[in-house]
């Protein structure tokens, strides 16, 4: 595809994060099922609900571009989810599984934070104010989710020691 300017690049990256979020809507229920710690189960369930709203916000963000809201497969998210899926096939102690689920989830959150960070910078440069507002909401949810997982990891890692 032809990328002639920053607006083209922004649209292309928006298509990527739309795919990433859509893939997560499908993957998070499997992580909910694999988690044992009730707090972790709740964290994944809550983030699934947020992720559904994030998909809608990304779709709305396309309005500023004047181009179609159409996902383009995010290969990075596909890889991160694939790693999580094969990890979940392990016969692991429940606490160890939880510790590993947190690790997988944080890799995912960090990828999302990196992508939204770039998208916010570009939206600002392009004067896409509406998109910027929506993307800022998404990045702040990702940052909160990431911090919450770090907090849960303290006790879960301790339990996974033995
Ligand atoms: Fe997300
Ligand atoms: Fe991507
Ligand atoms: Fe890897
Ligand atoms: Zn997320």
């Amino acid at each position: 595809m032809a990328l002639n300017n920053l607006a083209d690049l922004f649209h292309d990256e928006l298509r990527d994060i739309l795919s990433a979020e859509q893939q997560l809507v499908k993957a998070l229920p499997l992580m909910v099922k694999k988690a044992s710690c009730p707090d972790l189960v709740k964290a994944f369930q809550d983030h699934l609900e947020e992720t559904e709203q994030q998909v809608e916000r990304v779709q709305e963000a396309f309005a500023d571009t004047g181009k179609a809201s159409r996902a383009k497969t995010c290969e990075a998210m596909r890889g991160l989810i694939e790693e999580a899926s094969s990890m979940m096939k392990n016969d692991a102690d429940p606490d160890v599984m939880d510790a590993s689920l947190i690790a997988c989830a944080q890799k995912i959150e960090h990828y999302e934070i990196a992508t939204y960070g770039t998208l916010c910078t570009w939206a600002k440069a392009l004067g896409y104010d509406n998109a910027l507002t929506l993307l800022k909401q998404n990045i702040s949810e990702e940052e909160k989710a990431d911090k919450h997982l770090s907090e849960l990891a303290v006790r879960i890692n301790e339990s996974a020691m033995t």
Side-chain angles (χ1 to χ4, degrees), residues 69-122:
S69 158
R70 200 157 50 87
K72 187 177 93 176
T73 303
C74 173
E75 298 294 348
M77 187 58 73
R78 204 165 67 159
L80 289 167
I81 290 171
E82 203 168 291
E83 282 196 1
S85 301
S86 54
M87 184 284 294
M88 288 190 283
K89 289 192 186 104
N90 287 318
D91 173 24
D93 169 275
D95 296 320
V96 176
M97 177 58 70
D98 280 357
S100 185
L101 285 168
I102 289 174
C104 292
Q106 287 194 293
K107 286 190 193 188
I108 288 169
E109 292 315 312
H110 292 186
Y111 178 76
E112 291 179 300
I113 291 165
T115 305
Y116 282 122
T118 297
L119 281 167
C120 285
T121 301
W122 289 348

Side-chain angles (χ1 to χ4, degrees), residues 13-22 58 112 115-116 119:
E13 195 66 17
L14 207 54
R15 295 183 63 195
D16 179 273
I17 197 70
L18 177 57
S19 159
E21 297 289 12
Q22 287 172 335
V58 172
E112 291 179 300
T115 305
Y116 282 122
L119 281 167

